[in-house]
Amino acid sequence: MVNRNLIRNLEDEEISQQFEQLFPDNEVDQSELFPDVEEAPEFELNKIIEGKIIRVDDEAVLVDVGFKSEGTIPRNEWEEHHDPPEVGQVIQVLVEDLEDEMGEADDPYGLIAISKRKADNILHWQKIIEKVKEGDIVTGTCTRKIKGGLLVDIGVPVFLPASQIDIRRVGDVGEWIGREIECKIIKIDESRMNIVVSRRKLLEERREEKKKKLLET
């Protein structure tokens, strides 16, 4: 197997030697000799950047993000209810990995792995976080049963523990799927993009309020 990194290093050494022979007494800025050559921008993993769609196929969408190579996004990342991708359209994508053609992730001459769906999810999460805080009351629909409780859609999926569904113990939590409920945000973990809610706490607080008003009258 040819070591392309070694070849590039040898090429760099040969070029340097040629410059030293041509300009032995002067330091030469190679960017001045080649003004039209632009350095590729540095990319950070897990960062959202902009890209322009340059080709749309049945299976994939090719996106130019200013890297040495274009990024490819599976066509199924555009849901049926979304507008279809179009050539020339500017979209936001998440940088997932920088991959060399030979599988070496640290090679700057390789490919870039990007995702539109993950970028959309992160941006949507950030918008929700700007609107809510711990202690807020939110309304959502129970969408799915998972280990330990339910997922509730309030714009983003949030976790409702089984012990926090009702004041009394709940039998089959799956019976709540499809129901719209009110609950209270009890914890927001921004780093993990996770929100925990409680319907039980909200019911207990409202019951205490009614009891207090009853005693006052």
Side-chain angles (χ1 to χ4, degrees):
M1 182 180 294
V2 178
N3 189 325
R4 294 183 299 154
N5 288 327
L6 178 59
I7 291 175
R8 294 186 192 115
N9 291 335
L10 292 175
E11 290 175 347
D12 292 341
E13 290 179 3
E14 291 176 0
I15 292 173
S16 298
Q17 290 174 3
Q18 291 175 9
F19 275 115
E20 290 176 1
Q21 293 173 2
L22 292 172
F23 307 98
D25 300 325
N26 299 302
E27 293 184 0
V28 179
D29 186 352
Q30 296 184 21
S31 63
E32 295 179 0
L33 297 175
F34 305 101
D36 297 330
V37 177
E38 297 182 359
E39 293 185 2
E42 295 183 1
F43 285 81
E44 297 179 15
L45 297 182
N46 300 318
K47 182 178 180 180
I48 295 176
I49 59 175
E50 282 191 348
K52 180 182 287 187
I53 297 175
I54 58 177
R55 192 176 70 201
V56 178
D57 296 332
D58 292 337
E59 300 295 330
V61 175
L62 196 65
V63 181
D64 179 9
V65 293
F67 194 61
K68 295 177 183 293
S69 298
E70 290 80 14
T72 302
I73 304 176
R75 181 65 178 79
N76 59 18
E77 287 204 11
W78 278 261
E79 305 290 347
E80 293 183 358
H81 60 278
H82 291 165
D83 293 332
E86 297 179 357
V87 174
Q89 181 183 6
V90 176
I91 61 174
Q92 292 181 304
V93 296
L94 179 72
V95 179
E96 293 189 286
D97 197 8
L98 302 179
E99 299 177 346
D100 176 57
E101 296 171 0
M102 303 296 292
E104 300 174 7
D106 295 331
D107 189 343
Y109 292 84
L111 304 175
I112 180 171
I114 57 178
S115 171
K116 174 184 178 295
R117 178 180 293 158
K118 291 181 180 179
D120 289 345
N121 290 340
I122 291 173
L123 292 171
H124 188 52
W125 160 265
Q126 291 174 346
K127 289 181 180 179
I128 295 294
I129 285 298
E130 291 174 357
K131 298 178 181 178
V132 299
K133 61 182 182 299
E134 291 182 1
D136 283 357
I137 298 172
V138 293
T139 301
T141 303
C142 301
T143 58
R144 188 154 60 95
K145 178 181 176 180
I146 60 173
K147 184 178 179 180
L150 293 167
L151 283 182
V152 181
D153 184 5
I154 64 168
V156 293
V158 299
F159 179 55
L160 173 62
S163 62
Q164 300 299 314
I165 295 177
D166 204 350
I167 295 176
R168 298 180 180 85
R169 184 175 179 179
V170 175
D172 182 10
V173 298
E175 295 179 356
W176 288 74
I177 294 176
R179 292 181 57 177
E180 186 176 84
I181 62 172
E182 276 189 311
C183 44
K184 189 168 188 175
I185 297 176
I186 57 177
K187 185 178 181 181
I188 297 178
D189 188 338
E190 293 191 30
S191 61
R192 296 185 178 182
M193 296 177 61
N194 184 33
I195 296 179
V196 180
V197 297
S198 171
R199 179 174 177 269
R200 174 179 177 174
K201 187 173 182 62
L202 180 61
L203 295 176
E204 289 176 341
E205 290 178 353
R206 288 179 173 174
R207 185 171 63 176
E208 288 299 317
E209 289 177 4
K210 290 180 180 179
K211 186 185 295 184
K212 184 179 178 180
K213 290 181 178 177
L214 181 62
L215 292 174
E216 289 176 351
T217 57

